[in-house]
Amino acid sequence: MAIARHPETAARLRALEARAGEVTDLGEARDIAAEISRIRNSAAAEAGLRTAGEAAR
């Protein structure tokens, strides 16, 4: 829901997810996964939720 409040971020996330399904280069796949993770973690923080990484600490 937090991502949906930011249309540009939501569009970027959709584009990244689409690209992730097509990419064949491992380095690019890692970069995409990292950016998706940053977007989701930022949205979780905005919503006041703990991420998996924070819960493990």
Side-chain angles (χ1 to χ4, degrees):
M1 188 66 162
I3 294 170
R5 291 185 190 121
H6 305 280
E8 292 173 1
T9 301
R12 177 65 180 156
L13 180 61
R14 285 190 303 273
L16 287 166
E17 290 171 338
R19 180 65 185 143
E22 302 169 347
V23 70
T24 58
D25 178 74
L26 182 58
E28 184 179 357
R30 286 181 177 146
D31 291 343
I32 290 169
E35 188 171 351
I36 289 172
S37 180
R38 282 191 297 273
I39 291 170
R40 290 183 176 164
N41 287 340
S42 176
E46 180 181 322
L49 302 174
R50 291 174 41 182
T51 64
E54 292 172 335
R57 291 182 209 158

